[in-house]
Amino acid sequence: MKELFDQVSYECSKKVTEKYSTSFSLATRMLGKVIRQDIYNIYGFVRFADEIVDSFHEFNKEDLFTSFKIDLEKALSDRISLNPILNSFQHTVHKYGIGRDLIADFMYSMELDLTKQSYTTTEEYENYIHGSANVVGLMCLKVFVKGNQEQYDELKESAMKLGSAFQKVNFLRDLKADMDELNRTYFPNANLEHLNEHSKKAIIDDIERDFKTAYQGIKKLPIEAKFGVFTAYRYYKQLLKKLNNVPAKEIKRTRIRIPDYKKIEILTRSYVKYQLNLL
């Protein structure tokens, strides 16, 4: 039965989310049940593509990525895939009318990670951010508004800014791993080998501007999405605050984390604000 295979596929996407990101998984559990699975489906797809270019160093990553692209196209055209992650993703794509342009832009940025090691101009950097983060925010927005084009158009800018902010925080947090393990640097106009307080402040100020625009959109999200997205927003804002308080030289030496007890505190405070309509 196709329904049984689909259910197995959905469970795989959920498991990928839970195993790879406790914070994102926690925020997703705060979404309305009617949209929760589709966000798992998007995350599973995004995570698998990212894993190919970031983790499988002992294999031919170019071949793996090419195979993944071919399987993705077949999944989208056939409306089924024996790869359960792609089978889940294609279901969500067709259910909400997620644009092929968003998927293509995402895959383009992921493929850049196979060969490109630095982004020296603002234009290069912004194009990468658009494909790796902004469009993921737009995919999720399609689910949040259940395909409503008018709501989508109204919230599009804030969704992109939220995706952008999340990605930039990740870049700053993972600075050491990206440089030491992947030999990559993303921020332009910042000598990351000699990251100082001035260049760190410029990066953080840029992220804060993204968050400010994103917050205005979060307040307008449908009820099923608002609490979960606000929880993720609060988590990343706390992570940025911690990065801001840590000396630049320390960011280059270690990966800054939010402890589990703090995540629970963020969730609790977010819930109170949500219940009191203080967003």
Side-chain angles (χ1 to χ4, degrees):
M1 291 171 55
K2 174 65 159 55
E3 292 81 5
L4 180 58
F5 176 64
D6 285 342
Q7 188 58 47
V8 171
S9 298
Y10 302 152
E11 289 296 324
C12 287
S13 295
K14 180 181 178 182
K15 184 61 68 176
V16 167
T17 308
E18 292 171 343
K19 288 294 185 181
Y20 276 98
S21 178
T22 55
S23 55
F24 189 84
S25 178
L26 179 65
T28 303
R29 289 202 296 272
M30 300 304 109
L31 297 172
K33 190 174 181 179
V34 68
I35 60 173
R36 197 179 303 156
Q37 182 62 56
D38 290 292
I39 299 304
Y40 288 139
N41 296 348
I42 291 172
Y43 183 88
F45 161 70
V46 169
R47 172 52 64 182
F48 266 33
D50 192 60
E51 280 300 292
I52 292 172
V53 300
D54 281 358
S55 300
F56 302 150
H57 308 306
E58 65 271 34
F59 301 97
N60 188 317
K61 293 191 284 188
E62 288 82 0
D63 285 352
L64 288 175
F65 194 82
T66 297
S67 296
F68 188 71
K69 281 202 302 181
I70 293 170
D71 290 344
L72 169 63
E73 288 304 313
K74 281 189 61 63
L76 294 174
S77 60
D78 296 347
R79 292 176 176 255
I80 189 173
S81 175
L82 294 181
N83 178 328
I85 298 302
L86 292 179
N87 187 57
S88 297
F89 180 63
Q90 68 80 23
H91 173 84
T92 297
V93 168
H94 291 111
K95 181 178 179 181
Y96 295 102
I98 293 174
R100 296 292 186 92
D101 57 326
L102 301 181
I103 301 170
D105 287 348
F106 170 75
M107 293 295 284
Y108 176 75
S109 282
M110 290 299 96
E111 194 162 15
L112 284 176
D113 279 338
L114 291 171
T115 56
K116 194 167 179 61
Q117 295 180 322
S118 64
Y119 293 80
T120 56
T121 69
T122 301
E123 182 180 8
E124 283 184 336
Y125 173 64
E126 289 179 349
N127 286 339
Y128 178 84
I129 290 287
H130 174 75
S132 66
N134 295 3
V135 299
V136 178
L138 294 178
M139 291 182 202
C140 292
L141 181 61
K142 276 286 188 178
V143 175
F144 296 154
V145 302
K146 301 187 182 76
N148 183 299
Q149 191 62 41
E150 184 177 345
Q151 284 184 294
Y152 178 82
D153 291 339
E154 180 186 5
L155 299 174
K156 181 177 180 179
E157 180 67 18
S158 61
M160 289 193 294
K161 291 297 184 180
L162 187 61
S164 176
F166 287 175
Q167 181 72 298
K168 292 170 185 176
V169 171
N170 286 338
F171 285 163
L172 191 56
R173 178 196 61 187
D174 297 336
L175 184 64
K176 174 178 169 54
D178 284 340
M179 293 182 65
D180 293 351
E181 299 171 21
L182 301 173
N183 196 28
R184 287 194 209 131
T185 178
Y186 292 100
F187 296 112
N189 306 318
N191 186 346
L192 298 183
E193 290 285 355
H194 305 92
L195 181 72
N196 56 38
E197 295 304 318
H198 176 75
S199 57
K200 189 189 82 167
K201 183 179 185 303
I203 291 169
I204 289 176
D205 287 348
D206 175 54
I207 298 171
E208 289 285 12
R209 287 190 291 270
D210 285 344
F211 272 132
K212 184 176 180 180
T213 301
Y215 181 67
Q216 299 308 310
I218 293 172
K219 294 190 293 184
K220 298 177 182 178
L221 283 171
I223 191 69
E224 297 91 346
K226 187 181 293 185
F227 179 44
V229 177
F230 182 62
T231 300
Y233 164 86
R234 287 288 306 277
Y235 167 77
Y236 271 90
K237 282 279 287 183
Q238 183 64 34
L239 184 54
L240 183 63
K241 180 180 178 180
K242 191 167 184 178
L243 287 164
N244 189 40
N245 292 334
V246 170
K249 61 182 180 180
E250 185 67 20
I251 293 175
K252 293 189 295 182
R253 287 201 299 256
T254 186
R255 188 177 192 263
I256 305 302
R257 305 181 68 91
I258 300 293
D260 288 343
Y261 79 87
K262 192 67 178 180
K263 292 178 184 178
I264 300 301
E265 180 184 325
I266 291 169
L267 174 61
T268 303
R269 290 178 179 272
S270 298
Y271 183 71
V272 171
K273 286 197 171 190
Y274 173 75
Q275 287 294 93
L276 295 178
N277 199 27
L278 296 177
L279 271 66

